[in-house]
Amino acid sequence: MQVVDVLNLLDQWAPLTYSEDFDNTGLLVGDPKSPLRGILVSLDTLEVVVNEAIKEDCNLIVSFHPIIFSGLKKLTGATYIERVVIKALKNDIAIYSMHTALDNCKNGVNAKICEILEIEHPKIFITKKNTIKKLTTYVPKSDVAKLKTSLFEAGAGNIGNYSNCSFMNEGSGSYKPGDSAKPVKGKIGKVHYEEEVQIHITYQRSLETAVL
């Protein structure tokens, strides 16, 4: 297992797309392709935290607050932030911050606070914009079920308490394969007409790579 495998799981739980614009979340230090040896979870990445990671042979620190919040212009060890980054790099330790991504996710910090306070019917005061996208694609009638199943398995089509959501239009599509094309249906250089279905489906922006 590599560091990036854990980061992908964390992003599924608390997508980085939920982070506020002012924040600095995600992988801040380290190589995501490094083999994973151990994980240390912390509120902040202080020098003592890095020392503990070294002692326990953990090469990934998952921190709530980011150790790097604004741009670093030098690494001389003059501040504790610089010393943390230098020591982490020297010891091949990756540092990942979740902060407002974990604040804003469905089962994150604020949701837990509401649970502890026994708040009934909690609502989001300020919704995060641009977290939902829509895919429009076209597929031959014979392949509709196969494509929709794959899209749903990738996480598309979930809206609130509903899953497998989509909308379809039927029509006749046409295309002319070029010399370097490899058409599944039709022949190179000839216009092909195909009865197709237009599929509309929404998905979380954090799932875009898997959906596409």
Side-chain angles (χ1 to χ4, degrees):
M1 177 179 283
Q2 296 180 326
V3 168
V4 68
D5 296 317
V6 176
L7 305 190
N8 289 337
L9 290 173
L10 292 175
D11 193 56
Q12 290 178 26
W13 173 31
L16 295 179
T17 53
Y18 288 0
S19 302
E20 297 297 333
D21 295 336
F22 64 82
D23 205 2
N24 188 31
T25 55
L27 183 63
L28 306 183
V29 177
D31 182 1
K33 295 183 179 180
S34 296
L36 181 70
R37 298 194 307 273
I39 306 170
L40 190 150
V41 179
S42 177
L43 178 64
D44 294 290
T45 310
L46 305 174
E47 291 181 77
V48 291
V49 173
V50 179
N51 291 337
E52 183 178 351
I54 295 171
K55 179 182 177 181
E56 300 297 332
D57 195 28
C58 296
N59 66 327
L60 172 60
I61 296 174
V62 177
S63 175
F64 182 66
H65 294 124
I67 182 64
I68 303 172
F69 203 82
S70 56
L72 283 175
K73 295 185 178 181
K74 55 186 177 180
L75 287 173
T76 63
T79 67
Y80 88 90
I81 294 174
E82 294 174 22
R83 291 193 292 272
V84 164
V85 173
I86 291 172
K87 183 171 287 189
L89 289 171
K90 282 184 175 180
N91 291 275
D92 296 322
I93 295 174
I95 301 175
Y96 183 89
S97 170
M98 303 179 74
H99 203 205
T100 52
L102 188 58
D103 281 335
N104 292 334
C105 72
K106 184 176 181 180
N107 296 310
V109 174
N110 290 314
K112 190 64 179 179
I113 291 174
C114 290
E115 178 185 328
I116 292 173
L117 294 177
E118 299 182 353
I119 296 176
E120 297 181 358
H121 310 299
K123 295 182 179 180
I124 297 173
F125 289 152
I126 304 175
T127 57
K128 187 66 180 173
K129 296 181 179 179
N130 302 318
T131 60
I132 298 176
K133 301 188 74 173
K134 184 174 79 171
L135 171 70
T136 298
T137 189
Y138 303 82
V139 62
K141 281 186 176 181
S142 59
D143 296 316
V144 169
K146 182 179 179 181
L147 177 61
K148 287 180 64 178
T149 297
S150 295
L151 289 170
F152 295 147
E153 289 177 349
N158 293 324
I159 303 175
N161 294 322
Y162 296 84
S163 62
N164 293 29
C165 302
S166 68
F167 185 81
M168 299 184 294
N169 287 314
E170 294 187 10
S172 180
S174 66
Y175 53 86
K176 180 180 178 181
D179 293 337
S180 59
K182 296 180 181 179
V184 175
K185 296 187 177 184
K187 296 181 179 180
I188 291 176
K190 294 185 178 181
V191 177
H192 179 78
Y193 296 91
E194 183 72 32
E195 292 303 307
E196 296 182 327
V197 174
Q198 182 189 60
I199 299 175
H200 301 269
I201 192 166
T202 60
Y203 59 91
Q204 290 288 335
R205 194 175 75 181
S206 59
L207 300 175
E208 186 160 63
T209 299
V211 170
L212 295 183

